[in-house]
Amino acid sequence: MKNSISIKTKIEAAALLKVVPFRKEIRKTEPHKHNSYFEIIYLREGNGFHTIDHTSFSIKPPTVFFVRKEQVHHWDMTDTPDGFVLLLKKGFLDQSMDSELKSLLSKLSELSCIYLKEIGSIDTLFQLLTTEKDFTVTEGLLKALFAKILISAKPLTNKTSKTDDVITVFRELLNQTNDLRNNVAHYAEKLHTTPQNLNAICRKTLSQSAAEVIAEHIISEAKRQLIYTEGSVSEIAYSLNFNDTSHFVKYFKRHTGLTPQTLRNT
């Protein structure tokens, strides 16, 4: 193990989107993150397991996996995979004026895995995206793809509203794991609202307090570092903006029932 989690970059710096066939030689990979992009992996063939953070998913094609940039994942496959990988940078969405595309992506980004009931035109849409260069056409293909994935899985219903937008941006801020803060007021200020209002929105939308939402992200990142790096508990506490290691240990135990060292040793 290393002192930090390996970060892989599979897309050129200037590119905002990349769609390629899944590499057939992939079998086992080391735990790693990806650099600054959202990854969608569609497998129509393959067996084994895909681990995202602390959860192992059985590969049962046709299936789609979603990996956010802050998440750690790795593969353990037992036969030849076949499918597509889609890499999408935030810059693409910044250029897009299509609110429905963003809404569909927001729904998908909350998921880790979807088992598809039928493939329909999903194969074709991925194939078209591998060669399409026009931005407007690509927008349309992406919207069609995201909609087909959702339709082909269990129905998901989300109402879009301003409160959903606040939650989406709140989660985007929390996904910037290099600067997590255990401080509701810090995020409320960035969201141009009050701690009380942010708390109310979280309770209404997620049935959690803002502090609980923050805690989920902090604990998740702490677990990643404890499992996948050799950083000391003090170093991990510091990286998560805890000035006092004992405070971090108590915080971690309160939310997990374990001390950081106990989790690392299990």
Side-chain angles (χ1 to χ4, degrees):
M1 287 210 332
K2 297 173 283 186
N3 286 326
S4 61
I5 297 166
S6 170
I7 297 177
K8 294 185 178 180
T9 301
K10 297 191 293 188
I11 184 171
E12 297 75 17
L16 299 178
L17 176 76
K18 183 176 182 179
V19 183
V20 294
F22 193 97
R23 287 163 49 206
K24 292 184 180 296
E25 69 271 18
I26 294 288
R27 291 294 186 280
K28 295 179 186 287
T29 62
E30 292 297 317
H32 60 278
K33 289 184 179 183
H34 291 292
N35 191 20
S36 73
Y37 53 82
F38 182 58
E39 184 171 25
I40 299 175
I41 306 116
Y42 161 61
L43 291 175
R44 57 195 173 198
E45 290 181 20
N47 271 303
F49 293 91
H50 183 204
T51 300
I52 303 173
D53 279 345
H54 333 299
T55 305
S56 286
F57 298 92
S58 180
I59 299 170
K60 298 175 182 175
T63 188
V64 185
F65 295 103
F66 308 92
V67 185
R68 300 190 304 274
K69 63 182 180 180
E70 82 279 4
Q71 292 183 305
V72 176
H73 78 128
H74 61 96
W75 299 94
D76 187 358
M77 294 200 224
T78 53
D79 64 6
T80 304
D82 184 52
F84 291 92
V85 178
L86 186 155
L87 313 176
L88 181 64
K89 287 186 180 176
K90 183 175 179 291
F92 186 96
L93 298 175
D94 291 341
Q95 287 188 26
S96 174
M97 301 297 288
D98 193 325
S99 60
E100 181 62 19
L101 170 63
K102 295 176 183 180
S103 175
L104 289 166
L105 182 62
S106 178
K107 292 174 186 177
L108 293 176
S109 67
E110 296 300 314
L111 307 169
S112 294
C113 176
I114 283 180
Y115 295 109
L116 301 174
K117 290 179 289 189
E118 49 91 20
I119 293 174
S121 54
I122 289 174
D123 268 357
T124 305
L125 290 165
F126 269 108
Q127 189 64 56
L128 289 169
L129 282 163
T130 62
T131 55
E132 185 56 57
K133 301 299 181 188
D134 182 85
F135 188 88
T136 303
V137 175
T138 299
E139 271 187 313
L141 290 172
L142 282 176
K143 186 158 70 170
L145 175 64
F146 297 163
K148 287 297 292 184
I149 288 173
L150 289 167
I151 290 167
S152 300
K154 291 182 180 179
L156 296 172
T157 55
N158 272 350
K159 293 180 181 177
T160 57
S161 66
K162 286 189 176 180
T163 59
D164 289 333
D165 291 341
V166 170
I167 293 297
T168 299
V169 178
F170 185 29
R171 282 181 161 148
E172 285 179 0
L173 291 171
L174 290 168
N175 287 341
Q176 296 169 11
T177 53
N178 61 332
D179 191 30
L180 279 170
R181 305 292 181 97
N182 182 28
N183 188 322
V184 175
H186 170 79
Y187 291 104
E189 183 180 350
K190 285 182 173 290
L191 293 164
H192 307 292
T193 188
T194 64
Q196 293 79 6
N197 191 46
L198 178 57
N199 205 45
I201 290 171
C202 288
R203 287 197 180 281
K204 180 181 177 182
T205 311
L206 305 172
S207 300
Q208 291 178 296
S209 69
E212 287 170 335
V213 177
I214 292 169
E216 278 188 356
H217 283 74
I218 290 176
I219 294 301
S220 188
E221 179 60 20
K223 285 180 177 179
R224 287 186 198 111
Q225 294 195 37
L226 288 162
I227 293 168
Y228 296 117
T229 81
E230 291 181 343
S232 69
V233 172
S234 293
E235 288 169 336
I236 293 169
Y238 180 76
S239 77
L240 294 171
N241 288 300
F242 284 84
N243 294 325
D244 186 322
T245 303
S246 64
H247 178 213
F248 167 68
V249 171
K250 289 175 184 174
Y251 180 88
F252 189 88
K253 188 172 183 180
R254 184 166 75 248
H255 288 283
T256 66
L258 301 170
T259 66
Q261 198 59 51
T262 302
L263 177 85
R264 174 168 268 173
N265 293 337
T266 55

